[in-house]
Amino acid sequence: MKRYMIKRVFLAMITIAVALVINFMLIHLAPGDPTQILAGSGPFKLVEYKQGVSITLEANQDYFGQVPAYDKLVYQIIPDSNTAIQAFGNGEIDVLGVMPAGSQIATLKNMADTVVTSIPNFGRYYYGYNFKSEALADVNVRTALTTAIDRQEIVDKAFGESGVLAEGYYTPAVEWAYNEDAVIPACDKEKAEELLQEAGLEKDSDGYYLHLSMATFNLDPFLNFSQIMKANLAEIGVDLTINTLDAGAFMELGYGGEGYDMYAMGGQVGPDPSMFFHRIGTGGIMNFSNYSNEEADELFATAAASNDQEERAECYKRIQEICAEDMILVPVAEDISVYAYKDYLTGLPYDTAVDSAAQTEFTYVTFTRNPF
């Protein structure tokens, strides 16, 4: 079954926004750096690239599909989100290409001629437990920590207006595979401390049942995210030391699987549920929990080899039950993309062309009125 698993996971992975199919000719036949060679057959042609400034495209009149209804598309490269939002408000750009922070969404909604919309992605923000940690070997301890953490507080304070609470162990964006009955325990600090005591833990001279470490990214929302977790756990007598790292150092630590009791991160688990294997499957590349479960692995393999959606759904729903039973990782917030654009545009990939265009594709855009 492993052969089918690899094939299906590969097909699933190339559907995500950051996965690109590379031109074979560029990699194997072009001399020098293939990233500097222009080759494509899409609806636009590259006219000009000013590094760090802008990318200018023009409509490809020889395109085999629908030719864009306008002549030129310019991507302005504005690294600072506040500057980009100001330029958008001034009418210098038509589509905001950066993801606004929760605190910036209200500003955008108050701008004239502006549409602000959001769509669910196939990712979640979550924290997980390292099964190599002796301190977390007891599922009752892991359940106690989960019960102590107020996920709604994290969503409200770390994500703001863009926050949506995660209720289950898989994304509801893939409706057919989502198990609405496998839910994350509600916050109950009194019950959490009782679970620690039932697990045989006693407070030390500093007043703590446990001293734990958690690795995460050194950027928001993880900075606020982790501080709220630290405060929540302190209320039940658990001391959490937070180790904030840049992306490279965090990934290196996670791949090594040592030196942390908990971790907090985010990532894609769709559009095909087979991608969830990477997070909790034995040997999964993003399985920073170092979790292994024979039943779960067999269910992933069965689902990967099947073309029957009902059979696959049964497998994935059982996997979510296993997540609830073993308390591997705990989703906190859904990954929601917020977009802002001018109201004279239609045919955007998060508007009427949502089923036709790629995430950053503007082939089908038309102007409903002259903005000038």
Side-chain angles (χ1 to χ4, degrees):
M1 284 193 178
K2 194 167 186 180
R3 177 168 57 92
Y4 295 105
M5 183 77 170
I6 292 170
K7 287 182 178 180
R8 185 173 289 280
V9 169
F10 171 76
L11 291 173
M13 290 193 71
I14 63 173
T15 63
I16 66 176
V18 296
L20 304 175
V21 178
I22 305 299
N23 189 323
F24 173 86
M25 301 290 284
L26 289 182
I27 299 299
H28 295 280
L29 300 180
D33 183 357
T35 65
Q36 302 302 310
I37 300 171
L38 301 180
S41 58
F44 294 97
K45 296 179 180 180
L46 178 65
V47 174
E48 183 180 41
Y49 171 46
K50 295 181 180 179
Q51 188 170 2
V53 179
S54 64
I55 301 171
T56 302
L57 309 177
E58 68 177 13
N60 180 6
Q61 299 300 326
D62 297 322
Y63 181 54
F64 63 86
Q66 180 176 324
V67 176
Y70 54 97
D71 298 325
K72 189 188 328 184
L73 172 62
V74 179
Y75 290 88
Q76 293 189 29
I77 301 172
I78 308 174
D80 181 71
S81 63
N82 290 318
T83 304
I85 289 172
Q86 184 177 2
F88 177 80
N90 293 338
E92 299 169 28
I93 51 181
D94 304 297
V95 178
L96 184 65
V98 299
M99 192 68 62
S103 59
Q104 297 170 322
I105 295 174
T107 300
L108 289 166
K109 287 181 176 180
N110 289 328
M111 290 182 178
D113 306 324
T114 296
V115 177
V116 178
T117 187
S118 62
I119 58 173
N121 290 320
F122 300 104
R124 352 275 304 277
Y125 294 91
Y126 64 93
Y127 63 88
Y129 302 108
N130 188 353
F131 277 60
K132 287 186 177 181
S133 169
E134 292 183 10
L136 301 179
D138 188 337
V139 66
N140 290 320
V141 173
R142 299 194 299 274
T143 303
L145 301 181
T146 301
T147 307
I149 293 169
D150 190 338
R151 295 178 302 110
Q152 186 65 62
E153 181 184 5
I154 295 173
V155 169
D156 293 341
K157 294 180 179 178
F159 293 88
E161 289 199 34
S162 63
V164 175
L165 181 68
E167 302 283 359
Y169 293 91
Y170 187 66
T171 173
V174 186
E175 294 183 16
W176 61 269
Y178 180 64
N179 187 342
E180 62 182 14
D181 296 322
V183 296
I184 301 162
C187 180
D188 185 337
K189 294 185 174 63
E190 183 177 344
K191 180 180 179 181
E193 189 165 0
E194 289 175 359
L195 286 170
L196 291 178
Q197 294 169 351
E198 289 174 10
L201 298 182
E202 297 180 356
K203 287 185 177 180
D204 61 18
S205 59
D206 294 321
Y208 292 111
Y209 292 103
L210 286 169
H211 295 269
L212 303 173
S213 66
M214 184 174 80
T216 191
F217 297 101
N218 60 352
L219 47 78
D220 285 328
F222 299 102
L223 293 175
N224 286 334
F225 187 134
S226 57
Q227 289 300 323
I228 295 167
M229 288 181 63
K230 180 181 178 70
N232 286 168
L233 293 178
E235 292 183 51
I236 66 160
V238 174
D239 174 41
L240 182 66
T241 299
I242 299 167
N243 184 15
T244 56
L245 304 163
D246 62 38
F250 175 83
M251 299 303 285
E252 184 177 355
L253 185 71
Y255 292 145
E258 305 283 354
Y260 61 95
D261 299 298
M262 299 172 65
Y263 63 95
M265 64 186 299
Q268 298 279 332
V269 290
D272 189 86
S274 58
M275 292 185 66
F276 196 28
F277 175 85
H278 296 304
R279 308 282 164 178
I280 63 169
T282 303
I285 192 170
M286 303 302 289
N287 183 355
F288 291 177
S289 290
N290 297 292
Y291 177 74
S292 181
N293 181 296
E294 185 176 348
E295 181 188 358
D297 291 343
E298 289 178 355
L299 288 164
F300 274 119
T302 299
S306 175
N307 289 319
D308 184 332
Q309 184 164 292
E310 288 188 9
E311 180 184 22
R312 299 187 74 215
E314 288 180 8
C315 292
Y316 292 124
K317 288 180 179 181
R318 172 58 191 146
I319 289 168
Q320 291 163 68
E321 291 174 355
I322 293 172
C323 288
E325 293 164 4
D326 286 356
M327 203 58 66
I328 313 159
L329 52 79
V330 183
V332 173
E334 301 294 347
D335 184 11
I336 303 295
S337 290
V338 179
Y339 300 97
Y341 58 93
K342 296 301 182 181
D343 64 2
Y344 48 75
L345 298 176
T346 189
L348 290 150
Y350 25 82
D351 178 38
T352 55
V354 65
D355 293 325
S356 305
Q359 192 171 3
T360 56
E361 181 185 356
F362 301 102
T363 305
Y364 308 101
V365 172
T366 59
F367 290 75
T368 60
R369 60 181 171 83
N370 190 338
F372 307 109

